[in-house]
Amino acid sequence: ADEYRWFVAVSSGYNNYRADGADRASGDGAQALFLLSVDKPAIDAWQENTNYFKMKLPKPTNNRAAALANPGVATDAMGNAIIFYAGDTQGNLWKFDFQSGVNAENARDAVKTKPLAYLKDAAGKVQPVTTVPQVAPGLDGGYMVIFGTGKYIEMGDANTTEGHSVYGIWDNLGTSADSDHGVTRAKLYARSFHAATSLATGAATFQFGKGTGQYRGWRLDLPLTGERVVMDPDTRLGYTAVNSFVPPADCAASGTGVMMTFDNLYGTSRS
């Protein structure tokens, strides 16, 4: 019979490459997702692949510090967590697949060498993710992973002006690192806001798939300079609500932002 256990899923977070004073740090800056067993007795030591599992990502290939945000989760019909999705400050959306259960072998194979999607703005600049992706039912038994990009954590973040976006990416549950992962901007149906109505433009639907003229989801580029998403979206009402944020010019102001609502599948505006 299947055995069910409770785990807490948490990312390695920020600054894991800096020593903490106890000689603990990542030597190569690679990020990781941890599953920590809730039923571990307090007196027991942590033991990998027994009461915790660690899924390490490929190390960064550039000089940018990597940081993995906390994950969103897809559940099966019984409410069991089967897939985790997490974004990082390198502009990647990662998938951790546990559809076959949690054990040492599955933990080793949970993540591909490529992220599920690469996130860049129209100018090709990396779009960091610092919020928890929301997961909703998708077509053909897959999932829609919905989130926004943006960062407001470090000194200087308020002055960054690169473009940010809201994404709805379809995980078709394919396992090929080459054809099912590595989704790029070109494979996402582009939407924008209509100046007069403030509604998302474009067709009501589009065709999902991997072929020519088909899409792996949708994207909407935020129109305001410095606009970003730094609060978790919400899908509890059957659509996605997203709040954007534009940092203030100085600390005396609270900043501005816009509330947006999107259809989970197609990214059309909801009212």
Side-chain angles (χ1 to χ4, degrees), residues 41-263:
I43 62 172
D44 286 1
W46 288 106
Q47 183 176 354
E48 188 172 359
N49 296 327
T50 300
N51 52 33
Y52 85 93
F53 297 87
K54 178 181 179 180
M55 288 63 66
K56 190 174 180 180
L57 297 175
K59 67 179 181 179
T61 57
N62 53 39
N63 293 325
R64 293 171 59 98
L68 185 70
N70 278 328
V73 60
T75 57
D76 64 14
M78 300 297 292
N80 302 305
I82 56 174
I83 305 174
F84 299 94
Y85 303 92
D88 68 18
T89 54
Q90 298 270 347
N92 302 307
L93 176 69
W94 296 97
K95 173 182 175 180
F96 302 84
D97 192 342
F98 286 97
Q99 294 181 82
S100 299
V102 178
N103 56 42
E105 180 181 2
N106 292 341
R108 184 192 65 224
D109 299 333
V111 62
K112 300 294 185 183
T113 55
K114 286 183 179 179
L116 182 62
Y118 296 107
L119 313 169
K120 294 183 178 181
D121 68 10
K125 293 183 179 180
V126 165
Q127 296 175 306
V129 179
T130 57
T131 56
V132 175
Q134 303 300 298
V135 184
L139 297 181
D140 299 329
Y143 296 96
M144 293 300 297
V145 187
I146 307 159
F147 59 96
T149 66
K151 181 167 160 284
Y152 195 58
I153 297 173
E154 299 179 281
M155 294 290 293
D157 280 350
N159 298 319
T160 58
T161 58
E162 65 262 23
H164 288 291
S165 308
V166 178
Y167 289 97
I169 294 177
W170 175 48
D171 179 8
N172 61 2
L173 302 186
T175 58
S176 170
D178 293 325
S179 63
D180 296 306
H181 288 63
V183 176
T184 63
R185 181 181 178 87
K187 290 299 293 181
L188 301 172
Y189 186 83
R191 296 196 179 279
S192 60
F193 280 126
H194 191 283
T197 65
S198 296
L199 299 177
T201 62
T205 63
F206 52 81
Q207 187 174 4
F208 282 88
K210 298 189 292 185
T212 302
Q214 298 177 326
Y215 298 93
R216 286 291 302 276
W218 52 270
R219 60 176 170 83
L220 183 143
D221 293 339
L222 299 174
L224 302 178
T225 300
E227 190 175 12
R228 65 200 71 185
V229 176
V230 294
M231 294 174 284
D232 296 345
D234 191 338
T235 57
R236 288 175 295 178
L237 296 178
Y239 56 86
T240 299
V242 180
N243 288 321
S244 70
F245 175 66
V246 180
D250 57 63
C251 295
S254 58
T256 60
V258 177
M259 180 176 179
M260 302 161 279
T261 54
F262 300 97
D263 177 79

Side-chain angles (χ1 to χ4, degrees), residues 14-26:
Y14 304 96
N15 294 338
N16 79 325
Y17 52 90
R18 294 185 178 181
D20 62 358
D23 199 28
R24 292 187 295 254
S26 169

